[in-house]
Amino acid sequence: MSTNIDNSRREFLRMTSLTAGGFLLGFNWLGNELKAAPVAINAALAGDVGFNSYISISADGIVTLFSPNPELGQNIMTSFPMIVAEELDADWSKVKVVQAALDTTKFERQLTGGSGAVPHSWMRLRKAGATARAMLVEAAAKRWNVPAGECIAENGFVIHAASGKKLGYGELAAEAATVPVPADVKLKDRKDFKLIGTAVRNVENQKIHTGKPLFGLDFYREGMMHAMIQRPTAFGLKLKSVDSAAAKAMPGIIDVVTFGNNVAVVGKSTWEVMKARKVLKVEYEKDGALESSADHDKLFHDLLDNGKATVQRKNGDVEAAFKNAAKIIKSEYQCPFLAHSPMEPMNFFAHVRADGVELVGPSQTPASARTAVSKLLNIAEDKITLQLTRLGGGFGRRLKFDYVTEAAELSSIIKAPVKVTWSKEDDMTGGSYRPAVRYRFEAALDSNGNMTGYRLRGVGINSGNPTRQDNFPSGAVDNLLIESVEHVSPITTGAWRAPITNFLAFAEQSFLDEVAQAAGKDPVEFRLNLLQKARTSPAGEIKYDIGRMEGVIKMAADKAGWGTKKGVYQGFSVYFSHRSYVAQVCEVAMEKGKPAVKKIYAVADCGEVVNLSGARQQVMGGVVDGYGHAMFGKLTFKDGETEQKNYNTYRLIRMKEIPEVEPYFVDNGIEPTGLGEPALPPTGGAVANAIFKATGRRIKNQPFNDDELFGGKRVKSTLKKERPG
C-alpha cells in the first residue's frame, strides 16, 4: 500500500472520529454485487483496513462515505452520500463525505465525465446503505432478544415499536461489526424515500463560501518550488532557441529549464516566476501548418463538396427519395472553436522521488493521468500516488492530462517538488478546444409534407466523428444518409461539455424547424409525428427511447403554453444525449428592434432525481452555458495563434444577460441517467428557432452575436429572407 493512500486513509479515519466502538463497512465498487466485511475499529487496525470503499459509522453516530469520483461542481459529493443515507435511514445532519485518493485497485470508473457518475454508482451505493441498515437492525434485535422483523431503522436509530425501545446507530456500531454480512438485502420502495428527491445543500458550501483550501490552486507543500511554463505561441511552431539570462537574474528565480518545446521558469513564488517569464527571449520555427480561421471557412466548403466521407449510417434508397421529392430543403450550419475557460486555470503538484511519485491536483481522469506519468518517466504505476483536489471547473478540459505530465517531467528534471501553474492566457492560448464544425443538411418532402429523405454531412477539425448518427431523427426517416469528413490540424481539440452534440443539436433542431415550416406543420407536432413513425414503422435500429422523448416534448409544450401566448415568440428544441432527454421552449420578445431572450422552459427526463437542488442547478447551468456560448462564444486563429487570449476579448455571457430558466423533471421512477450535460445541447436550437419566429431570420452560424440582428457584421448573403410560419 502506498504511503500517500495510507496517510489519506488515516486522515479519513481521524475525520470520522472512529474509536474502539466504531463500525466500518467496506463495499465493492468493482461490480454490481456488494461484498462487505465489517470490522471493529481501533488504533491497531486504523491503518490497515483493506476495503475498496467505505461507509462508516462511528461511536458518536457520524456516517461517512469515502467518495472516489472527482468533484468539479456537479455536486457528486452531495448526491453520493444522499443515496447511502436514504437506504441507511441515517440522520442527514450526521452524514459526512471524504474525497478518496486515486486507487484503481479499489475503485471502478474513478473519473468525472460523460454524465455517468450517479448512473454508474446508484445501485452500489443503495446496496451499501441497505446492508449497513440491515446489520444495525440485526444487532439491535439480538441485544433486545426480539425478531429483527419487529424492528425498524429511522433517522439514525433502530426502534422496537412493541416495547418502545430505541438505540442510536453509534450505540450499536460495535455490535453491528460482529453481525454476518447479509448476502441479499431489500432496497426501499421509492414511495418511501425521505431524502432522495428533496433539495439538499451542497455539503461543501460552507467551505467554499469561507475560502477553505479545497482547490488545486490552494494546495501548498512546505519546501515546494513554483513554476510557470512558456509554451509555443502558435499551433504549428516548435522551439528554436532560448535566452534565459535576464530571467535567471530576477529575484526569487532558481532556474530556467527547457524540455521538449517547453521553457519552465522555476522559483520561490508564482508571482516571481510570472514576472521572470515575461523577460524570456524565445525563438520558434515552423513545425507544421499555421492555420487561420479565415482559411477554415473555405476548407469547410471544399470538404463538404469533395472531401473523402465516411458513411456513419445509411437506411433505404436515399438517391431515389430525393429524385422523387416534391420539395427539397437544404441548409448549412457552422460553429467556431471554443475554449473551455474554467474559472480555475490548469495546475498540478508533482514530487518525483527515487522511491516513487506523488501527484496532487485537479483532474477529471486521474487514472489516465497516472498512466501517462508512468509511461513518461518509466516508473511503475504502483509507485505513483495521486491525491485529488476539488476542481474549479473542467467542462472536458481536465479530461486531458498534459498539465499533469509536464509537472511530473519538470519535477524529475529539477529533482524537487514543484507546483506548475498556468495563467488564464496560458489556458486560452495553449489549451484544448471544442472542434470547429460545419454541417450540410438536406431533407426530401413528399406532396403531403412527409419527410421521406434525410442527408447530413458533417465536416470537423480534429473532431473524430462530428455526427451522432443514431440520434433522432435517425430511425424515423425511411431513406437516410449520415456521413462525416475529418480535417487533421495542429490545433489541439478535445471533449467540450456535451461533446459534438453541444453544436450538432442546435444545427439539427434548427434544420428540423426549417423542414417543418416547408411542410406547413407545427414544429412540435412535426417532431411528434416523426416519433410516431419511428414507433410504428422504424427505419433501421432505434437507439433512443421514443416514449421518453415524446414525454419531454409534450410536457415542455404544456408548461410553456406552446402556441397560446401573445407578446412573445416561442422556439422549440428537444435532444437526447448521455442517456437523458431534454426539451426546451425559448421565449423571445422584440426590444428596441432586436430580439431579446426572456425565458427558457426546460423539461428533463433523467430518471430518478437524487438531489432536487443539485438537479435544478445542473439544468439551469446547462441552459445558461448553452445559451451563452451559442450567443457569444468564439475562438479564432490567425497563423496558428489564438486571437482571443483572455476574457477581455473572449466573450462570455454576463449576469444581466441571463434569461429566466424554469426547469421541470419527468417523474418516471427509472434509475438515474445523465444530467451534467444533457440540458446544454438543445438550448441553441430553442433560442434560434424563437429568434426566427420573431424576426423571420434564420441564424445558422454561431455565435449569434456576430449576426447583423445583434449589430454584428455577419449578413445573410445568398439565402433569401424566410418568413415564419
Side-chain angles (χ1 to χ4, degrees), residues 4 80 112-113 115 138 225 289 332 334 449 492 495 506 554 581 626:
N4 193 55
F80 270 26
T112 292
S115 302
E138 183 66 28
M225 297 182 185
E332 294 186 11
Q334 185 168 318
T492 56
F506 151 70
K554 293 177 180 178
Y581 301 78

Side-chain angles (χ1 to χ4, degrees), residues 64-101:
T64 305
L65 175 69
F66 205 176
S67 180
N69 288 58
E71 173 61 75
L72 56 73
Q74 81 280 35
N75 216 20
I76 204 68
M77 290 185 73
T78 304
S79 298
F80 270 26
M82 282 180 67
I83 298 168
V84 177
E86 179 67 74
E87 290 291 350
L88 185 60
D89 272 306
D91 177 352
W92 179 248
S93 68
K94 293 185 176 181
V95 173
K96 295 181 180 178
V97 63
V98 177
Q99 177 68 62

Side-chain angles (χ1 to χ4, degrees), residues 565-579:
K565 293 184 176 180
K566 296 181 179 180
V568 293
Y569 301 89
Q570 294 181 320
F572 185 84
S573 179
V574 62
Y575 215 71
F576 158 62
S577 66
H578 302 280
R579 303 170 299 279

Side-chain angles (χ1 to χ4, degrees), residues 207-511:
K207 293 178 182 178
I208 294 171
H209 293 163
T210 56
K212 293 294 189 296
L214 297 171
F215 300 91
L217 284 178
D218 297 326
F219 179 80
Y220 175 79
R221 173 70 54 77
E222 188 69 33
M224 76 180 185
M225 297 182 185
H226 295 265
M228 298 191 79
I229 295 175
Q230 178 63 49
R231 302 169 186 85
T233 55
F235 295 94
L237 294 180
K238 66 178 180 179
L239 185 63
K240 181 179 180 182
S241 65
V242 182
D243 181 351
S244 59
K248 288 181 178 179
M250 294 187 70
I253 301 306
I254 297 169
D255 200 359
V256 176
V257 178
T258 300
F259 58 104
N261 283 320
N262 296 328
V263 183
V265 181
V266 183
K268 296 179 181 179
S269 72
T270 301
W271 177 243
E272 287 171 319
V273 300
M274 184 182 293
K275 290 194 295 183
R277 188 175 66 160
K278 292 179 180 179
V279 303
L280 284 173
K281 296 178 181 178
V282 185
E283 287 188 78
Y284 297 97
E285 58 187 353
K286 192 175 179 180
D287 188 38
L290 300 177
E291 297 187 359
S292 299
S293 294
D295 298 327
H296 289 155
D297 290 338
K298 182 178 184 302
L299 173 75
F300 280 136
H301 290 290
D302 290 344
L303 290 177
L304 280 173
D305 289 333
N306 305 307
K308 183 179 179 181
T310 299
V311 175
Q312 302 293 346
R313 176 164 176 156
K314 185 175 183 180
N315 297 119
D317 190 338
V318 179
E319 294 301 323
F322 278 86
K323 182 179 180 180
N324 299 322
K327 184 182 291 186
I328 294 176
I329 303 92
K330 184 175 180 180
S331 204
E332 294 186 11
Y333 290 78
Q334 185 168 318
C335 70
F337 291 96
L338 289 180
H340 290 83
S341 59
M343 185 65 74
E344 178 192 29
M346 301 302 107
N347 65 92
F348 229 81
F349 168 85
H351 188 189
V352 179
R353 310 178 307 269
D355 61 340
V357 180
E358 180 187 10
L359 303 171
V360 183
S363 171
Q364 291 181 243
T365 53
S368 296
R370 185 178 66 177
T371 297
V373 171
S374 172
K375 292 179 179 178
L376 175 70
L377 302 180
N378 195 28
I379 296 175
E381 287 194 43
D382 61 6
K383 294 184 180 297
I384 302 174
T385 65
L386 195 154
Q387 180 66 50
L388 288 165
T389 62
R390 188 179 178 94
L391 287 68
F395 315 111
R397 175 63 181 95
R398 287 185 165 101
L399 291 171
K400 294 206 167 187
F401 38 77
D402 50 308
Y403 60 101
V404 183
T405 55
E406 66 181 17
E409 186 172 6
L410 180 57
S411 177
S412 72
I413 294 170
I414 65 176
K415 309 297 182 187
V418 63
K419 181 177 178 180
V420 176
T421 302
W422 294 43
S423 68
K424 180 52 64 178
E425 287 83 0
D426 293 337
D427 252 358
M428 201 77 75
T429 61
S432 173
Y433 311 107
R434 180 190 76 173
V437 177
R438 189 173 181 89
Y439 295 105
R440 176 180 292 163
F441 295 90
E442 297 174 87
L445 297 178
D446 65 16
S447 57
N448 294 318
N450 299 311
M451 185 159 62
T452 57
Y454 182 89
R455 283 196 290 230
L456 165 61
R457 175 175 283 204
V459 176
I461 298 177
N462 290 350
S463 64
N465 171 17
T467 72
R468 290 294 180 266
Q469 62 273 9
D470 295 321
N471 282 8
F472 178 79
S474 292
V477 186
D478 288 331
N479 307 289
L480 175 142
L481 176 64
I482 297 179
E483 302 173 299
S484 65
V485 181
E486 179 74 352
H487 170 68
V488 178
S489 167
I491 299 170
T492 56
T493 63
W496 190 95
R497 191 177 186 183
I500 301 300
T501 60
N502 54 62
F503 177 77
L504 175 59
F506 151 70
E508 285 181 339
Q509 290 297 304
S510 295
F511 181 66

Side-chain angles (χ1 to χ4, degrees), residues 4-5 68 113 148 158 160 193 204-205 215 241 255 285 294 326 334 432 506 532 592 610 629 651 696 700 725:
N4 193 55
I5 292 176
V158 178
H160 184 240
F193 286 167
E204 293 199 306
N205 272 354
F215 300 91
S241 65
D255 200 359
E285 58 187 353
Q334 185 168 318
S432 173
F506 151 70
Q532 183 61 23
K592 297 180 180 179
V610 176
H629 281 90
R651 180 77 155 86
K700 300 186 179 183

Side-chain angles (χ1 to χ4, degrees), residues 58-225:
S58 63
D60 59 3
I62 297 296
V63 178
T64 305
L65 175 69
F66 205 176
S67 180
N69 288 58
E71 173 61 75
L72 56 73
Q74 81 280 35
N75 216 20
I76 204 68
M77 290 185 73
T78 304
S79 298
F80 270 26
M82 282 180 67
I83 298 168
V84 177
E86 179 67 74
E87 290 291 350
L88 185 60
D89 272 306
D91 177 352
W92 179 248
S93 68
K94 293 185 176 181
V95 173
K96 295 181 180 178
V97 63
V98 177
Q99 177 68 62
L102 174 66
D103 192 334
T104 51
T105 302
K106 293 179 170 60
F107 302 123
E108 182 186 60
R109 200 189 182 278
Q110 198 172 2
L111 61 87
T112 292
S115 302
V118 171
H120 173 267
S121 299
W122 168 253
M123 289 304 297
R124 293 164 173 81
L125 293 168
R126 292 189 68 188
K127 289 178 182 178
T131 299
R133 168 171 45 85
M135 296 167 72
L136 288 159
V137 168
E138 183 66 28
K142 285 185 177 180
R143 183 186 292 193
W144 296 327
N145 195 28
V146 298
E150 294 182 3
C151 302
I152 62 169
E154 184 177 286
N155 202 36
F157 291 91
V158 178
I159 302 168
H160 184 240
S163 64
K165 293 178 179 179
K166 180 178 181 180
L167 288 170
Y169 286 177
E171 299 172 88
L172 291 165
E175 290 167 77
T178 67
V179 172
V181 179
D184 191 24
V185 290
K186 183 179 180 180
L187 301 179
K188 278 187 176 182
D189 190 298
R190 68 185 299 263
K191 68 179 175 57
D192 298 321
F193 286 167
K194 300 174 183 176
L195 191 60
I196 289 175
T198 65
V200 175
R201 293 178 180 178
N202 187 317
V203 295
E204 293 199 306
N205 272 354
Q206 184 176 2
K207 293 178 182 178
I208 294 171
H209 293 163
T210 56
K212 293 294 189 296
L214 297 171
F215 300 91
L217 284 178
D218 297 326
F219 179 80
Y220 175 79
R221 173 70 54 77
E222 188 69 33
M224 76 180 185
M225 297 182 185

